Amino acid sequence: MLIRAIILFLGLSFFSLGLYAQEKNDSVGKKSIIPDKWKASLNGSYSTLVGADGNGGTIGSYASLDPLNASLSFKGTIPIAAKSGRLSFLSVAAQGNLVNGNFATVFKNTRLNTSAGINLEYNFRFGKDNPAEFGANDAKYTADMRMITEAEDHAVNAYKNEIAKIATRQAALQDQVVRTNAQIAAKELQLKVFDKTINNATETYEAKEKAYVESQKIVAELPKMRKSLEMANFQIDSLGIVSANSGGLITKYRLQQRNLANEKRAKLQNDYQFAEFKLFWITLIAGAGKVDYYTFDGTKPFADQLQNPNLPTYKFGFALNFYDQDNLTKKAWMANLGVQWMKDNNLSLLSTQEISQESVYKNTAGDVTRKATKKYTAYTEPDKIADYQQLSVFSNLYHIFNGGNIALHFFPSFYKPKDKRGYLDTGLGMMFSFKDQKKEKSTLNLEAYFVSVDSFNSLDATNNFWDRNEFGVRITLPFNKLFK
């Protein structure tokens, strides 16, 4: 069972990181990036992740509350600028929670089991200065560039063809002028004939009336024909000017189209520079804390039955983190894989009971008594409590979508106590981020999550699968934007 758990965990973790190894880096798709252009977009995506429980996976400043699992945490992050211009981040986080309890128990008169700690996280970039890489969008970028060039060539060739047709259009217009002049002359001759008929006293009334009607038609047509002749002559003169300057006009038009195409190319290149951004960084983790809890053993002498030990805890570790944001496909991914060595115990795998301790007080006459009761949430099987050092391997995979307002969070963790059997916890969460109008900063984050503790029952616990789980909702208030 343990081997299956390890294989599953490592397989899921390396699969999440391997999603990006398939991206090809072609020189045609690499462009220098202007960091300022990315700040708003990165703030929008990163602020969605703020407050997620991820073993040192996310960067930011926030206060987070988990009411169902009685946990409260604060985190402050400051950027540190290196000489190379890269940004690194130093975070200080403080956590406090009730062990095997919830906030409802705070309002009871009960002594509680608590834990508290402080973590330091140092995040720094790894590798060369990061360019924007088109990745899987190389083919689309090349096709779009080719379309711009083809559109430029098509416009210039069409213009040259129109210039080449000028001589033909001039000849056609000149023929039209000759025909129109002939038609006008014929109409004017007909008009004289009709006038002669109208003024002839020997003609009948019917002949004069018919001649008058036909002459009025010619009178109405002649201005239109003369206007058409005027327009044709104007077009002939205009085309003559164009024909005389055709070489210069083609050169000027070609320059206009080249400038327009260059503007389109610059915009396209700019869009693709802003299309995809990748970050790879390392997180160093160090933390210390204390677990304060109660135990009860009814087999011991009365004075020793109720104990209040406390356990100092610590952890050291690191994580490899990868972030990929693609504005063309409207997706963003973040994945990490980390290792921690820590001192802890197994309280989270054990259950508690409420223990009441009464003190009886009598008056001097002995006829009146009072009782004072103290309640403790105690572990009633102290022999099963084990303090140990353990190795933890964890991973977080975030898929951010819907413009950075929603993210899916998968977070398995494998624990291997020293000289004990290891076990796997598997977590799945859905994150919702409420942002301001500019979407550069989250105002409130919520994560509803489910954690299956000891998913494969490697510790042979008596509880069934559905009893070995945790449900919760994390409520987070972000304090500031990560990139300013």
Side-chain angles (χ1 to χ4, degrees):
M1 186 65 69
L2 175 59
I3 294 177
R4 289 173 52 194
I6 295 174
I7 293 175
L8 176 64
F9 172 75
L10 293 179
L12 291 172
S13 300
F14 282 106
F15 173 75
S16 65
L17 291 177
L19 290 175
Y20 316 102
Q22 301 174 9
E23 302 276 356
K24 293 183 179 180
N25 299 329
D26 195 319
S27 59
V28 72
K30 295 183 178 180
K31 306 295 178 184
S32 298
I33 186 132
I34 303 174
D36 288 345
K37 296 182 60 178
W38 274 97
K39 291 180 179 178
S41 186
L42 288 174
N43 280 329
S45 293
Y46 256 73
S47 61
T48 302
L49 307 179
V50 167
D53 180 33
N55 296 306
T58 58
I59 308 172
S61 298
Y62 59 85
S64 183
L65 172 68
D66 185 342
L68 297 181
N69 286 295
S71 176
L72 180 64
S73 61
F74 299 89
K75 193 172 191 177
T77 299
I78 57 173
I80 302 174
K83 293 182 179 179
S84 62
R86 302 176 185 175
L87 282 177
S88 57
F89 295 91
L90 178 64
S91 299
V92 180
Q95 307 91 23
N97 66 282
L98 302 181
V99 182
N100 280 328
N102 55 63
F103 279 126
T105 59
V106 173
F107 302 99
K108 298 180 180 180
N109 183 21
T110 304
R111 301 295 178 91
L112 304 174
N113 305 297
T114 62
S115 69
I118 296 179
N119 292 342
L120 293 178
E121 299 171 8
Y122 180 57
N123 300 273
F124 60 93
R125 286 270 304 279
F126 182 76
K128 299 180 179 179
D129 287 338
N130 186 72
E133 298 175 352
F134 299 167
N137 298 301
D138 281 346
K140 188 175 185 304
Y141 173 78
T142 302
D144 290 345
M145 279 294 189
R146 183 172 61 250
M147 287 293 293
I148 293 174
T149 301
E150 291 176 354
E152 176 190 356
D153 294 339
H154 176 77
V156 173
N157 290 333
Y159 189 77
K160 291 171 66 176
N161 290 335
E162 290 299 318
I163 295 293
K165 295 177 182 177
I166 289 178
T168 302
R169 294 176 63 183
Q170 281 181 306
L173 286 170
Q174 289 169 350
D175 289 342
Q176 180 182 338
V177 167
V178 172
R179 290 193 304 270
T180 303
N181 280 324
Q183 291 171 356
I184 290 175
K187 294 289 183 182
E188 290 175 341
L189 182 60
Q190 286 180 346
L191 188 59
K192 290 179 180 181
V193 173
F194 290 140
D195 287 341
K196 185 177 181 180
T197 300
I198 294 171
N199 295 319
N200 189 346
T202 61
E203 292 287 345
T204 63
Y205 174 78
E206 289 79 3
K208 290 181 177 182
E209 182 180 16
K210 181 178 180 181
Y212 177 77
V213 173
E214 293 298 327
S215 67
Q216 292 302 309
K217 291 181 180 179
I218 293 174
V219 169
E221 289 177 356
L222 283 175
K224 297 180 181 178
M225 296 175 70
R226 291 190 180 100
K227 183 66 174 178
S228 173
L229 183 63
E230 181 182 346
M231 292 297 297
N233 284 321
F234 176 77
Q235 291 181 14
I236 290 172
D237 292 340
S238 299
L239 291 175
I241 296 173
V242 173
S243 179
N245 298 278
S246 59
L249 290 174
I250 292 175
T251 300
K252 182 177 180 180
Y253 187 78
R254 180 184 289 112
L255 181 60
Q256 290 176 345
Q257 293 300 312
R258 176 59 53 84
N259 292 336
L260 180 61
N262 287 339
E263 290 178 2
K264 293 180 179 179
R265 291 188 185 95
K267 184 180 183 303
L268 181 65
Q269 188 178 90
N270 187 65
D271 290 342
Y272 274 81
Q273 284 180 336
F274 192 57
E276 188 172 7
F277 190 65
K278 296 180 181 180
L279 283 173
F280 183 67
W281 75 97
I282 295 177
T283 303
L284 302 181
I285 306 168
K290 185 180 73 169
V291 180
D292 193 346
Y293 60 97
Y294 291 89
T295 64
F296 179 79
D297 187 350
T299 63
K300 292 184 177 181
F302 182 81
D304 299 329
Q305 290 178 350
L306 190 64
Q307 299 290 328
N308 181 208
N310 60 74
L311 169 69
T313 62
Y314 62 80
K315 61 182 177 181
F316 301 96
F318 70 94
L320 305 178
N321 308 274
F322 184 81
Y323 179 83
D324 183 350
Q325 180 168 321
D326 188 339
N327 282 3
L328 293 180
T329 58
K330 304 300 182 184
K331 72 174 183 178
W333 293 84
M334 177 180 167
N336 73 357
L337 179 63
V339 178
Q340 292 185 134
W341 180 256
M342 59 180 64
K343 178 177 173 61
D344 206 344
N345 62 19
N346 61 341
L347 293 181
S348 62
L349 303 174
L350 304 177
S351 59
T352 60
Q353 291 184 5
E354 187 176 276
I355 304 297
S356 297
Q357 179 172 294
E358 295 183 348
S359 299
V360 178
Y361 302 92
K362 294 183 180 182
N363 63 359
T364 55
D367 57 353
V368 178
T369 62
R370 289 189 175 92
K371 294 181 180 180
T373 303
K374 292 182 179 179
K375 295 181 179 180
Y376 300 85
T377 301
Y379 294 91
T380 55
E381 297 177 303
D383 57 311
K384 292 185 178 181
I385 298 176
D387 298 341
Y388 46 69
Q389 294 178 334
Q390 69 177 6
L391 178 70
S392 170
V393 183
F394 63 88
S395 179
N396 291 273
L397 175 62
Y398 303 90
H399 180 205
I400 308 170
F401 49 96
N402 194 32
N405 293 325
I406 301 176
L408 186 65
H409 182 200
F410 176 65
F411 50 105
S413 297
F414 177 73
Y415 301 94
K416 177 58 176 73
K418 188 176 182 180
D419 301 326
K420 297 180 181 295
R421 299 179 66 179
Y423 62 95
L424 174 71
D425 292 350
T426 306
L428 183 65
M430 180 64 73
M431 307 176 68
F432 303 89
S433 182
F434 301 89
K435 302 182 184 298
D436 60 12
Q437 293 182 350
K438 294 182 180 179
K439 292 189 176 182
E440 293 185 7
K441 176 184 176 183
S442 294
T443 57
L444 177 67
N445 290 344
L446 300 177
E447 181 182 15
Y449 67 88
F450 165 79
V451 178
S452 172
V453 179
D454 189 12
S455 303
F456 295 94
N457 198 21
S458 302
L459 304 179
D460 298 326
T462 56
N463 297 332
N464 59 41
F465 175 81
W466 296 110
D467 293 330
R468 300 191 312 274
N469 57 58
E470 296 178 1
F471 293 92
V473 177
R474 297 185 184 92
I475 305 170
T476 302
L477 296 176
F479 291 151
N480 66 327
K481 292 189 294 186
L482 187 62
F483 299 94
K484 297 182 179 180

